[in-house]
Amino acid sequence: MLIRVASAACLLLSASAFAQDDALISEDAANTARELMQRGLESDTGYEVVRSLTTEVGPRLGGSEQEARARDWAVQMFTELGFENVRIEPFDMPYWDRGAIRASIVSPFPQPLYASALGGSAASPQGGIEGEFVFFDSFQDLYDFDGRLDGRIAYVNDRMVRLQNGGGYNTANEKRRFAWLEAEARGALGVMIRSVGTDSRRFPHTGMMSRPQPNTIETGRHSPIVVDYIESEYPDYAETGISSSIPAVALSAPDADQIERIHDTGETIIVSLSVVAGWRGQRQSGNVIAEIPGRELPDEIVLIGAHLDSWDEATGAVDDGAGVGIVTGAAHLISQLPRAPRRTIRVVLFGAEEVGLLGAFAYARQNAAETGNIVMASESDFGAGPVLSLTSGASEEGTLFMDEVQGIIAPLGILRGDRASRGGGPDIIPLAAQGVPVFRLMQDGTDYFDLHHTPDDTFDKIDPDDFAQNVAAWAAVVWLAADAEIEFRMQDE
Ligand SMILES: [Zn+2]
């Protein structure tokens, strides 16, 4: 892993022009940030981390042997890069295994379909299922449907809208999260959805279904018929790792288009489906942690993270090998400075994110006594596209500080985004909920959902220049936050 030390002249030139007497960031700290940015643009350490993880470990589903290998890989990687206090914090989790799948149209035009089981899907009965498709244009149509689906297969077709900030995901994802429950409550044999994604390649997108919890039965997106069903029939919904008792799968977009065309002919569609997925008992996962101890305030922590696990069908390059490389590369650049920042930088590679943020909740639980010491937290988990804006959620002084931070990273093409955000990334949710201040370097996610959760999420998709811009931005922001004495936490929390 090579670091090319670069001339920082270009970025340093702008330094004195903007220095102000009442600035929250000293000129010295700002100059160090600019130097880190320049080195970030020219270093390939973070990129090599992603190459190594995706090549030498490959796919790493939460709770799998492969994910355990990823933890060992991470310990070795952090140690070789000179990080301190490198450790694994293990936790137990229920393990779901995908198994094989076979899907095809039986009638009117027999042909195979490309499909993938959704996380939490049950197996089909021995020999598979065969049934008539009931075609719903959208999740809302299934939600509102007051008939029965006995002996048939529900199909939900709506398309995800492509937006730069990924804003089409939550709406499109409702069918992935809850269609199984709506179908099951109405007696369906199985459920199929158009993949949640924006590509038109023959790669189905997997992803976890949601498990109903007692506190989301009323408040979550469950139709009255489902609430009724959960309360009367659905077994042990709160205690078990079960999601569906019927097979639930996603079709690739071109296969979904095919279904749509056949549906338009008015013919009855009969589909056959065999799924061998299921829950396979308890396994171990873990979070991998590494630190750069602070020189003056070692108990105060700037926490940066990414998730180490991936879905099983690809090598998880953009989701979230990129995040692993970005935060590791940025922290490593800071560790190479002649002196450490005032506060500790803690890098957390969360386990088992894809299967339900299990590492994030385990981290918050296992480190509860320390939550008050985390001065700022953020995760990189939205691919490897260029950073477009800096958002934050902090005290008034912390917000003004982040305004100045954005001024320093502006030459990287980064604007100031939301100044009252609660978002720090998926694995930061449990910490943010406890009042930990957050920032986020929001990336261009226009193409992210072409790859997300598909077999096509591989290393070749990462653009080295865009990746380097991420590392440069992270190094500067994390350095500035960790070297500051600013109280980011809101006082009323
Ligand atoms: Zn992710």
Side-chain angles (χ1 to χ4, degrees), residues 315-333:
T315 58
V318 306
D319 188 14
D320 184 25
V324 171
I326 288 164
V327 297
T328 301
H332 182 253
L333 286 174

Side-chain angles (χ1 to χ4, degrees), residues 388-399:
L388 300 179
S389 70
L390 171 67
T391 66
S392 63
S395 63
E396 201 178 320
E397 189 184 37
T399 304

Side-chain angles (χ1 to χ4, degrees), residues 307 319-320 353-354 381 448:
H307 65 85
D319 188 14
D320 184 25
E353 188 269 354
E354 296 292 4
D381 182 22
Y448 181 61

Side-chain angles (χ1 to χ4, degrees), residues 231-462:
E231 286 173 351
S232 62
E233 296 173 52
Y234 190 60
D236 299 329
Y237 61 86
E239 284 80 28
T240 71
I242 305 170
S243 274
S244 61
S245 64
I246 57 174
V249 311
L251 289 179
S252 85
D255 289 82
D257 294 344
Q258 186 82 321
I259 291 292
E260 198 178 88
R261 279 188 295 271
I262 300 173
H263 174 70
D264 286 345
T265 68
E267 298 259 14
T268 298
I269 302 172
I270 311 278
V271 163
S272 122
L273 174 66
S274 164
V275 177
V276 194
W279 293 96
R280 308 283 184 246
Q282 291 290 113
R283 297 279 183 93
Q284 194 170 76
S285 181
N287 299 315
V288 185
I289 296 167
E291 292 178 343
I292 302 168
R295 71 173 195 275
E296 279 177 21
L297 304 164
D299 292 341
E300 297 191 6
I301 298 158
V302 173
L303 187 155
I304 58 174
H307 65 85
L308 187 58
D309 66 305
S310 75
W311 275 107
D312 50 333
E313 297 193 296
T315 58
V318 306
D319 188 14
D320 184 25
V324 171
I326 288 164
V327 297
T328 301
H332 182 253
L333 286 174
I334 296 169
S335 76
Q336 300 302 293
L337 292 171
R339 59 175 193 174
R342 285 194 174 86
R343 291 161 161 163
T344 292
I345 295 171
R346 177 177 293 171
V347 183
V348 183
L349 303 184
F350 294 94
E353 188 269 354
E354 296 292 4
V355 291
L357 306 183
L358 303 182
F361 285 104
Y363 180 87
R365 199 170 54 244
Q366 292 171 351
N367 298 278
E370 250 185 11
T371 307
N373 296 350
I374 303 174
V375 298
M376 198 61 142
S378 184
E379 178 178 38
S380 175
D381 182 22
F382 195 49
V387 176
L388 300 179
S389 70
L390 171 67
T391 66
S392 63
S395 63
E396 201 178 320
E397 189 184 37
T399 304
L400 294 171
F401 181 89
M402 294 309 271
D403 290 347
E404 288 184 26
V405 170
Q406 183 269 325
I408 292 167
I409 63 174
L412 295 171
I414 299 171
L415 302 173
R416 186 70 165 113
D418 188 353
R419 298 168 79 246
S421 165
R422 299 303 295 161
D427 287 305
I428 306 302
I429 289 171
L431 298 175
Q434 296 176 71
V436 172
V438 293
F439 74 87
R440 233 183 154 183
L441 286 159
M442 302 298 293
Q443 292 156 292
D444 183 345
T446 309
D447 302 329
Y448 181 61
F449 291 100
D450 290 350
L451 303 170
H452 178 255
H453 298 186
T454 74
D456 208 22
D457 177 7
T458 50
F459 181 64
D460 52 291
K461 311 302 189 305
I462 297 179

